[in-house]
Amino acid sequence: MDPLTLDDLDRQLAHALQVDGRAPFSQIAAVLDTSDRTVARRYQRLRSAGALRVVGLPHAAALGHVDWMVRMRCTPDAAMPVASALARRADTSWVRLLSGGTEINCITRTRAQTAEGDLLLQKLPRTARVTAVTAHCVLRAVAGTGGWPVRTAALSPDQIAALRPPSRPAPAPAPLTPADNQLLATLAKDGRAGIPALAAATGWSETTVRRRIEHLRGTEVLYFDVEIEPALFGHTAEAALWLTVEPSALAAVGEALATHPQVAFAAAITGPATIAASLVCRDLDDLYDYIATGIGSLGGVSRAETAPVIRRVKDAGALLLP
């Protein structure tokens, strides 16, 4: 099978990992009615091809942090070097080149009490070739928190329920330690890293590692996400979208975006635009139709701005350098 072609089982596997990124292959196999070896082989095939990756990530709010959406305009010769410098930072994610290579969009994380000016001073590369910078605080995610809808449509409700981790009473929060930071750093590279590898990274016993992962998930400090190429689902046009929405319509527009399969993620933000979204469409014609009809039909939207994504430099997890 072509390593860059997804069949129904691959799609089910990707959806299963979105439900629980650390679900044992045996559990996934039972739900998908196949063998452990088949599931493991499919996962390794996609993982080794760079087409799919499970990442473990910390929730900003649980750590007392704030996410900022940063837009940078720069000269074309500076775009890739600046984007690469941003991508190498542990506190950045979703680094994208937009608008023919003259704009960079990313998310950067800071402590809740840090002023915006300090954020820009400390985190953004300094060069005269960066011509403009704006930063917008992410107030609330309104769509895409459970994954891009197109890649979370392969399982039935019963299969999802069988894979979902059991709910338990939330444990009391505990402050993060240096070993926790090593644990999170390792999971950001590979959310399915084995317990022995995590024990080696933290210096803990394997029992302590298992217990700590369960605790961090239970207190909603840690969650798992799946990074997968949209092109594998036949979607090749990605774009950033900014909407200016009347305050009275903000909640309704957010709820509507959450039902649109073209919206991979959307959040309410500060600034002139009040909602920012990441769009994934089949092609540019599909993108046009969505803007004209999907966005055009929303009440309370006074302005829409789009910019095509020409290169994805970094997604949610840690940047994997050669």
Side-chain angles (χ1 to χ4, degrees):
M1 184 182 297
D2 186 329
L4 296 182
T5 299
L6 295 186
D7 62 14
D8 289 343
L9 182 58
D10 292 323
R11 293 171 185 248
Q12 289 178 323
L13 173 58
H15 190 175
L17 292 171
Q18 183 68 52
V19 176
D20 183 0
R22 288 190 67 85
F25 287 143
S26 58
Q27 180 185 8
I28 296 175
V31 170
L32 302 186
D33 193 24
T34 188
S35 69
D36 302 15
R37 292 184 62 185
T38 296
V39 170
R41 186 169 60 249
R42 292 299 185 96
Y43 172 77
Q44 293 299 334
R45 165 178 158 264
L46 293 171
R47 181 75 166 84
S48 61
L52 177 147
R53 181 166 62 134
V54 178
V55 291
L57 304 167
H59 278 290
L63 299 178
H65 295 169
V66 173
D67 285 338
W68 294 78
M69 180 172 292
V70 178
R71 297 182 66 179
M72 306 176 66
R73 295 188 184 277
C74 53
T75 58
D77 62 315
M80 195 61 215
V82 172
S84 297
L86 286 169
R88 285 182 169 84
R89 297 189 61 95
D91 48 14
T92 64
S93 59
W94 304 110
V95 182
R96 300 287 190 264
L97 289 183
L98 310 176
S99 305
T102 60
E103 184 174 349
I104 301 166
N105 198 45
C106 73
I107 299 291
T108 187
R109 184 165 291 186
T110 183
R111 296 187 184 277
Q113 300 303 316
T114 299
E116 181 180 347
D118 293 337
L119 167 73
L120 299 180
L121 178 64
Q122 295 173 8
K123 297 190 176 184
L124 301 184
R126 300 181 184 180
T127 170
R129 293 178 295 174
V130 174
T131 59
V133 178
T134 58
H136 311 276
C137 183
V138 176
L139 302 177
R140 178 183 298 177
V142 298
T145 55
W148 178 37
V150 172
R151 65 172 165 83
T152 55
L155 299 179
S156 70
D158 287 343
Q159 288 175 312
I160 294 172
L163 287 164
R164 197 177 302 281
S167 59
R168 298 185 176 91
L176 295 185
T177 66
D180 284 314
N181 293 333
Q182 291 299 320
L183 175 69
L184 294 174
T186 304
L187 291 173
K189 294 179 180 178
D190 181 4
R192 292 188 65 85
I195 296 297
L198 295 173
T202 58
W204 291 334
S205 69
E206 295 186 9
T207 299
T208 299
V209 168
R210 291 189 181 92
R211 186 183 303 118
R212 190 56 173 161
I213 290 177
E214 183 176 345
H215 184 277
L216 292 174
R217 296 182 81 174
T219 54
E220 298 187 346
V221 171
L222 174 67
Y223 71 100
F224 291 90
D225 198 6
V226 175
E227 298 178 350
I228 190 166
E229 290 290 332
L232 295 176
F233 293 85
H235 289 63
T236 59
E238 298 181 58
L241 170 71
W242 296 271
L243 299 177
T244 302
V245 182
E246 296 295 331
S248 60
L250 192 58
V253 170
E255 290 170 1
L257 292 177
T259 68
H260 295 180
Q262 298 88 348
V263 179
F265 178 78
I269 61 172
T270 59
T274 46
I275 289 182
S278 296
L279 305 182
V280 183
C281 299
R282 292 191 176 278
D283 50 34
L284 292 177
D285 195 53
D286 185 35
L287 175 61
Y288 169 84
D289 288 339
Y290 176 65
I291 295 170
T293 60
I295 298 300
S297 66
L298 298 176
V301 176
S302 60
R303 185 172 184 271
E305 179 187 358
T306 56
V309 175
I310 65 166
R311 183 163 181 176
R312 299 158 64 216
V313 183
K314 182 183 182 182
D315 286 343
L319 182 66
L320 296 180
L321 298 175

